Amino acid sequence: MVKRTRKEAARLDEAARAGWLYYCAGNTQDEIAQKLGVSRPTAQRLVSAAVSEGLVKVRLDHPIARCMELGKAICETYGIAGCDVVPTDPAAPDAMFGMAQAAANYLERALHSTEPKIIALGTGRAMRAMVDEIGRIDTYHHKIVSLVGTIAHDGAASFYDAVTDLADRTRAPHYPLPIPVIIADPQMRERMQQQPPMDNILKLAREADIRFIGVGHLGDDAPLHIDGFISKDELVSLRESGGIGEVISWSFDQDGNILDHPVNHCVTSAPAVQPATNTIAVAKGAKKVAAIRGAMRGQLISTLITDEATAESLLR
């Protein structure tokens, strides 16, 4: 957590008050200025700061007919339990904003459950964006578990680890998987997974009540390759064996079958569950269409959160 000076903390308090008055109480900026005893330009800056500092979360609470139609069609076509489709921003097709909010709705419902839950997360941009939408809440009775290794070959922590971030926001016990995503030796993998605390973490992952994952592609700029987990030759070999995508580092073919391939033999992630239940995938983009389609066909996911453009491609 970033430590702030007393002056910075006071400014954030004022920004929070201004944000509440504007977005919740419906005050004008003139009214806010009067109530806070500041000038109108200062009130305007405080309201803007409330947004830029992440103190205000805006969510659209109205179903968009076209998105609902696409979601229903995807469920019927691929036999998955649910599909949330958010609008595509033509000016920012790679932005995660709407999808992160939609995923956060599912995560928040789990976090607000009075029954203890094991909540398991993958890694990647989509997971970090989802967690960024979660406010601070005390949920000591839940457990947050990683589905995938959280360090690279050289020991560096994963930049997109979402488990620690979520635990910081919720104060829930968390269980990162402190091993590389992929190791060189299948026998070493087996030995490592049988040792404490790895065996307990993987047991919790298998028992998870709800899972949140991304879907990766196996193109030339595949995350597994770009992030240094597999070589170019291994990537090519996966594709030659029919690989089109991956979930929590497990590579699969166009029908969602996990490949019997040397790379998969060295993956340290929790097993991919088939058929999946309560497994929510957050993924979009033209590069990922084939991978998302395969994941749904193979029942590697039970719910998809995506955008309009991707949904339309999946139904062509």
PDB file of all heavy atoms in Angstrom, residues 88-100:
ATOM      1  N   THR A  88     -18.324  -2.467 -26.958  1.00  0.00           N
ATOM      2  CA  THR A  88     -16.955  -2.250 -27.414  1.00  0.00           C
ATOM      3  C   THR A  88     -16.743  -0.769 -27.664  1.00  0.00           C
ATOM      4  O   THR A  88     -17.574  -0.127 -28.315  1.00  0.00           O
ATOM      5  CB  THR A  88     -16.680  -3.032 -28.715  1.00  0.00           C
ATOM      6  OG1 THR A  88     -16.860  -4.427 -28.475  1.00  0.00           O
ATOM      7  CG2 THR A  88     -15.265  -2.787 -29.213  1.00  0.00           C
ATOM      8  N   ASP A  89     -15.670  -0.225 -27.133  1.00  0.00           N
ATOM      9  CA  ASP A  89     -15.315   1.167 -27.405  1.00  0.00           C
ATOM     10  C   ASP A  89     -14.488   1.192 -28.684  1.00  0.00           C
ATOM     11  O   ASP A  89     -13.340   0.739 -28.681  1.00  0.00           O
ATOM     12  CB  ASP A  89     -14.519   1.736 -26.232  1.00  0.00           C
ATOM     13  CG  ASP A  89     -14.146   3.209 -26.444  1.00  0.00           C
ATOM     14  OD1 ASP A  89     -14.390   3.737 -27.548  1.00  0.00           O
ATOM     15  OD2 ASP A  89     -13.602   3.823 -25.504  1.00  0.00           O
ATOM     16  N   PRO A  90     -15.040   1.711 -29.798  1.00  0.00           N
ATOM     17  CA  PRO A  90     -14.293   1.705 -31.066  1.00  0.00           C
ATOM     18  C   PRO A  90     -12.965   2.429 -30.979  1.00  0.00           C
ATOM     19  O   PRO A  90     -12.018   2.086 -31.689  1.00  0.00           O
ATOM     20  CB  PRO A  90     -15.248   2.421 -32.040  1.00  0.00           C
ATOM     21  CG  PRO A  90     -16.601   2.295 -31.416  1.00  0.00           C
ATOM     22  CD  PRO A  90     -16.361   2.331 -29.932  1.00  0.00           C
ATOM     23  N   ALA A  91     -12.881   3.430 -30.108  1.00  0.00           N
ATOM     24  CA  ALA A  91     -11.645   4.205 -29.990  1.00  0.00           C
ATOM     25  C   ALA A  91     -10.600   3.511 -29.121  1.00  0.00           C
ATOM     26  O   ALA A  91      -9.424   3.860 -29.160  1.00  0.00           O
ATOM     27  CB  ALA A  91     -11.948   5.590 -29.417  1.00  0.00           C
ATOM     28  N   ALA A  92     -11.034   2.533 -28.319  1.00  0.00           N
ATOM     29  CA  ALA A  92     -10.101   1.837 -27.423  1.00  0.00           C
ATOM     30  C   ALA A  92     -10.474   0.361 -27.355  1.00  0.00           C
ATOM     31  O   ALA A  92     -10.947  -0.132 -26.330  1.00  0.00           O
ATOM     32  CB  ALA A  92     -10.123   2.463 -26.034  1.00  0.00           C
ATOM     33  N   PRO A  93     -10.290  -0.365 -28.463  1.00  0.00           N
ATOM     34  CA  PRO A  93     -10.742  -1.758 -28.522  1.00  0.00           C
ATOM     35  C   PRO A  93     -10.040  -2.683 -27.536  1.00  0.00           C
ATOM     36  O   PRO A  93     -10.557  -3.758 -27.224  1.00  0.00           O
ATOM     37  CB  PRO A  93     -10.433  -2.157 -29.976  1.00  0.00           C
ATOM     38  CG  PRO A  93      -9.354  -1.204 -30.419  1.00  0.00           C
ATOM     39  CD  PRO A  93      -9.643   0.072 -29.714  1.00  0.00           C
ATOM     40  N   ASP A  94      -8.866  -2.294 -27.035  1.00  0.00           N
ATOM     41  CA  ASP A  94      -8.139  -3.153 -26.101  1.00  0.00           C
ATOM     42  C   ASP A  94      -8.411  -2.821 -24.639  1.00  0.00           C
ATOM     43  O   ASP A  94      -7.913  -3.502 -23.743  1.00  0.00           O
ATOM     44  CB  ASP A  94      -6.625  -3.048 -26.362  1.00  0.00           C
ATOM     45  CG  ASP A  94      -6.243  -3.580 -27.733  1.00  0.00           C
ATOM     46  OD1 ASP A  94      -6.903  -4.524 -28.204  1.00  0.00           O
ATOM     47  OD2 ASP A  94      -5.286  -3.048 -28.337  1.00  0.00           O
ATOM     48  N   ALA A  95      -9.200  -1.780 -24.387  1.00  0.00           N
ATOM     49  CA  ALA A  95      -9.461  -1.369 -23.006  1.00  0.00           C
ATOM     50  C   ALA A  95     -10.256  -2.442 -22.270  1.00  0.00           C
ATOM     51  O   ALA A  95     -11.150  -3.074 -22.826  1.00  0.00           O
ATOM     52  CB  ALA A  95     -10.224  -0.050 -22.993  1.00  0.00           C
ATOM     53  N   MET A  96      -9.913  -2.639 -20.984  1.00  0.00           N
ATOM     54  CA  MET A  96     -10.549  -3.675 -20.176  1.00  0.00           C
ATOM     55  C   MET A  96     -11.685  -3.126 -19.321  1.00  0.00           C
ATOM     56  O   MET A  96     -12.321  -3.875 -18.573  1.00  0.00           O
ATOM     57  CB  MET A  96      -9.512  -4.306 -19.235  1.00  0.00           C
ATOM     58  CG  MET A  96      -8.379  -5.030 -19.931  1.00  0.00           C
ATOM     59  SD  MET A  96      -8.953  -6.445 -20.909  1.00  0.00           S
ATOM     60  CE  MET A  96      -9.734  -7.437 -19.656  1.00  0.00           C
ATOM     61  N   PHE A  97     -11.987  -1.837 -19.440  1.00  0.00           N
ATOM     62  CA  PHE A  97     -12.845  -1.164 -18.474  1.00  0.00           C
ATOM     63  C   PHE A  97     -14.185  -1.877 -18.230  1.00  0.00           C
ATOM     64  O   PHE A  97     -14.473  -2.305 -17.118  1.00  0.00           O
ATOM     65  CB  PHE A  97     -13.094   0.276 -18.924  1.00  0.00           C
ATOM     66  CG  PHE A  97     -13.917   1.078 -17.956  1.00  0.00           C
ATOM     67  CD1 PHE A  97     -13.419   1.396 -16.706  1.00  0.00           C
ATOM     68  CD2 PHE A  97     -15.191   1.499 -18.286  1.00  0.00           C
ATOM     69  CE1 PHE A  97     -14.175   2.125 -15.803  1.00  0.00           C
ATOM     70  CE2 PHE A  97     -15.954   2.232 -17.393  1.00  0.00           C
ATOM     71  CZ  PHE A  97     -15.437   2.557 -16.154  1.00  0.00           C
ATOM     72  N   GLY A  98     -15.007  -2.004 -19.253  1.00  0.00           N
ATOM     73  CA  GLY A  98     -16.335  -2.596 -19.055  1.00  0.00           C
ATOM     74  C   GLY A  98     -16.289  -4.038 -18.602  1.00  0.00           C
ATOM     75  O   GLY A  98     -17.068  -4.472 -17.738  1.00  0.00           O
ATOM     76  N   MET A  99     -15.368  -4.809 -19.164  1.00  0.00           N
ATOM     77  CA  MET A  99     -15.247  -6.218 -18.791  1.00  0.00           C
ATOM     78  C   MET A  99     -14.771  -6.366 -17.359  1.00  0.00           C
ATOM     79  O   MET A  99     -15.227  -7.253 -16.625  1.00  0.00           O
ATOM     80  CB  MET A  99     -14.292  -6.926 -19.743  1.00  0.00           C
ATOM     81  CG  MET A  99     -14.880  -7.134 -21.134  1.00  0.00           C
ATOM     82  SD  MET A  99     -13.651  -7.749 -22.301  1.00  0.00           S
ATOM     83  CE  MET A  99     -12.912  -9.073 -21.402  1.00  0.00           C
ATOM     84  N   ALA A 100     -13.858  -5.501 -16.940  1.00  0.00           N
ATOM     85  CA  ALA A 100     -13.374  -5.561 -15.567  1.00  0.00           C
ATOM     86  C   ALA A 100     -14.501  -5.314 -14.584  1.00  0.00           C
ATOM     87  O   ALA A 100     -14.606  -5.976 -13.540  1.00  0.00           O
ATOM     88  CB  ALA A 100     -12.257  -4.527 -15.364  1.00  0.00           C
TER      89      ALA A 100
END
